[in-house]
Amino acid sequence: MTPIRTPRVRLGAAVAAVLAVTAGGLTTAVPAAAVTPSAVTAAASAVVPYPKGDADLVSAGTTGFLTWNWTDQGARAVWTRYSDGGTKEPWSLADAWITASRASDVIARVTSNGSITLRDMATDEDVLSVPGTGATFVGAVGRTAFVEGSGGVHLLARGGDGQVADRTVTGLPASLTKPSVRAATPDTALLTYVTAGVRHWATVDLATAKAVDTGTIAGDPDQKAPVALSGKHVAWLEPASGGFRTAVVTERGPGTGTQRISLPGAVDSLGLVGSWLTYGQKGGYDERNPSPDYAVTARYLGNGMTRKLMDDAESSAVAPDGSLLVQGGTVAHGEGLYRIALGANGEPAATQVASSGLSTKVTLLSHAIPPVVDLDKTGGRLGMVWQLSRSEVEMTVRIRNTRTGETLTDGVYPLNGDYDPHRAAYTWNGQLSWNSTPDMWTGAPAGPYTWEITAKPLNGIGPALKSSGAFTVTRKPGAHDYDADGSPDILVRDTAGRLWIDDTFPQPEAGYVNQNPGLLVGTGWGAYDRIEAAGNLAGSAVSDVVARDKAGVLWLYQGTGNAKAPLATRVRVGSGWGAYTRLTGGSDLTGDGRSDLVATDKTGALYLYKGTGSATAPFAARKRIGTGWGAYNQLTATGNIAGGTAGDLVARDTAGVLWLYLGKGDGTFAPRVRIGDGWQAYDRLLGVGDMNRDGRPDLYASGKGGGGVAFVYKGTGSWSKPFAARDQVSWAFDIPDMKYDLLS
C-alpha cells in the first residue's frame, strides 16, 4: 500500500506553565543532580544535514534516522546516518509502504500483495522476509513484525535457525479489531485496538509474546489520539471539556498510579523521556496565528514543574535508548532534528542532531535594493525585494529621507500569491508622508535615504526581524519644483501678504492630483505687485522666482530645493520693470537650455529677456519680438506643450479665448492657434510643468475668488489640441476661509 500523507503544518512559542493535576498521583521524587542521563550515541554528537525540503521523521535508531521526503514527483524514503550525514534510499515508495520498525535501526517494507521485509540499515542486512499470506501488517519493533491474521495478532521474527517463527500474542481479547503498534521500547510494543467501539491499549512483551499491561482510552475509537511508551510509563490523550484535553499517564506494572493532566486543546503530540511527559501542538513553523502550544514542553511527573525545550515541532520518534528525536526547531539553533534526553541534573534538554539550514526565527537572507536609483528613469518607482527565511510574517517598511526627515511607512504583503516562499516585495511609488501627516503625500526629493523593515512572525515564534540599509535617490527637479521632489509646487499669496508653498503630488490610481496644505514661506510679500515662477534662471538645480515691487524693481529669489525654506535671500535684478503689464517665465524660448522671460508693456509690445544662467545678472538685454499683445489679460509660459522645438506660450484675450503660440526655438513664435473659449472662468493660468508625470507639461487653472478651487489641463503633446479635458485638483488647506490674491 502507498503511504497516506497528512497535511504539513508546523509549530511555535511558549506553553502555559501551570497545568492542573487531578485524580491519583505518581509519587516519583524530584530528580536529583546525580541522576544518570539517558545514553546519547557518540555518533549523534555532530550536527549533520537534515534532508532538504519537506521531510517528515518516521523513525530513529542508534546509527541513523528514517524520513519521508515529499517532492512534486512523490515521496522518497531516506535513511540518514548520524555520524556523517550520509544517506541511503533502500526502497522506492512507488510500489510499497516504507515505514519504521520502532526503537531500532530497522525499517519495514510492505508491498501491495502483503509481503513484508525488515532491513537493518546499520548492516544493510534483510533480517526478515515474509511473503504475502493474507495477514495484515500492523507494525514492527526491532526485528519483529506484527501482523493481524487468523487467531489474532502474531509476531513474526527470524529464529536462530534462520526460519521465521510465528507466535500469537496472548492476553488479548479474541474479538479485537484495528490493532496497531503505536509506540515501543526495544523489548516492548504498545499495541492499540478496538473492541465494541472502545479503544484499548496493551503492552506486549516481545520475549514472551504476552500482553502485560492493559488499559482503556476514552473517546477515541478511531485511534487518532497520540500515545507514548517508556520503560516505566504509558501515556495517551483523551478529550475533555472547555477547550482542553487530558493527558493520562499511568505507571507500568502492578500497583500502578495514574495522573490526569489538563492540557490545551490544541496539543496533539505526546512523548515520554524518563519521568518527564513532553507535549505540544505540531505544525507551528508554518502557522500564521500565534499560539503558546507550538512549543515542545516537558512536564515532570513528580511535581508538575515544566520546562520549554523547543519552539516548534513537526514529527517525532523514540530512539532505542529512550531518548526522543524531534523534527522541529529552536530560535537559537534553527530547524532540523533534535534529541531530547536527560541531562546530568535529571532534567531533559534538546540537542541538535541534524540541521535543515532553515532558521526558526525570521531572518533576512538577502535583498535586492540598488545603492542608487534614478526615479526619472524608473517612472518614479523603485521595486524593493527582500528574501526572508520564511514569509509568514506581518511586515512593514519605513523609507526615510535622512536629509529632510520625511518618511513613508507602509505594509508589505509577502503572502499574496507569490510563488517564492521567501520573497517579500514592495513597490515604492517615490512618495513620502507630507510634513509627517498621515495619508498626505509628497514626492521624494533627490538625496540620501534609508530603508528599515520589521517582519513580525505570524506564528509568534522568535523576535521580530529588524533590518535596514541605505540608498540614494537621483532625479531632476521639474518646472515649478521648489522642493526638488519631481512634482510642481504652487506659490500662493494670501490677502495678508504671506507667501505659501503648496506641494502637489499625483495620485494616478485615483485619477487626480493632490495639492497639499501650504507651508509658510514668509511674510511681507504684499510689497510686490507681480510674483512669477521663472524657471531655473540662475543655474541652480531648482526653479526660481522673480518678484516686482511697487517701485518697479525686479528681484530674483533662487530656489533652494528645501520645502521648509524654498527660496534664498533675494537678489536685485534691476529697476524700470514697472513699465510692463504682464511678466511670465519658465519656458526655454531660444533653445539654449535656459529659462527665458517675456514681458508686455502698456503699448502691447512683447519683449524677450534671454536667460543668462547668472544669479547677479540673470537676463540679457531685452529684445522686442512682437506687437499687439495688449489684447491679452493673461500670458503664460508653458514649456514645450505642443511638440515643437522649444517652449511655447498661451495667451487669454479679454473675451476668454485661449490662444497657443508655438515656439520656434529662436525667441519667436508661429502664428497663433485658437485653443478654445470660456477661459475667463479662471483667475490665473500657470504653466505648472508636469503634474501627472506623463512627461508632458500641463496647465494649472485657479478658480476665481481664491480659496482652494483649481483644475489641471493635462498636456497632450498636440499643437492642434494641446490640452485634454480638465481634472479637478484635490486642494487641501489648513484655513478654510483663507482668501488668495495671487498664485504663481
Side-chain angles (χ1 to χ4, degrees), residues 90-111:
W91 295 304
S92 169
L93 278 167
D95 59 353
W97 179 26
I98 313 302
T99 189
S101 185
R102 299 177 185 274
S104 70
D105 284 325
V106 178
I107 64 174
R109 177 179 185 264
V110 183
T111 65

Side-chain angles (χ1 to χ4, degrees), residues 328-347:
T330 65
V331 168
H333 300 290
E335 295 295 297
L337 186 64
Y338 287 78
R339 185 183 298 275
I340 297 177
L342 299 183
N345 62 356
E347 295 187 10

Side-chain angles (χ1 to χ4, degrees), residues 224-256:
K224 294 181 180 180
V227 297
L229 174 71
S230 70
K232 295 182 178 180
H233 302 98
V234 177
W236 65 91
L237 276 179
E238 292 181 350
S241 61
F244 288 90
R245 304 183 78 176
T246 298
V248 183
V249 185
T250 184
E251 292 184 17
R252 294 171 58 184
T256 59

Side-chain angles (χ1 to χ4, degrees), residues 536-538 544 546 554-556 571-574 577 594-597 609-620:
N536 186 350
L537 290 174
D544 306 323
V546 293
L554 191 68
W555 301 88
L556 169 66
V571 175
R572 190 178 192 271
V573 176
W577 290 79
R594 300 189 185 100
S595 295
D596 306 309
L597 186 74
Y609 284 87
K610 185 177 179 180
T612 67
S614 169
T616 56
F619 303 115

Side-chain angles (χ1 to χ4, degrees), residues 598-601 603-608 623-630 632 649 661 667-669:
V598 293
T600 59
D601 65 15
T603 69
L606 182 68
Y607 293 90
L608 168 67
K623 178 182 178 181
R624 183 171 171 169
I625 57 173
T627 60
W629 290 75
Y632 302 117
L649 296 179
Y661 284 86
T668 64
F669 304 96

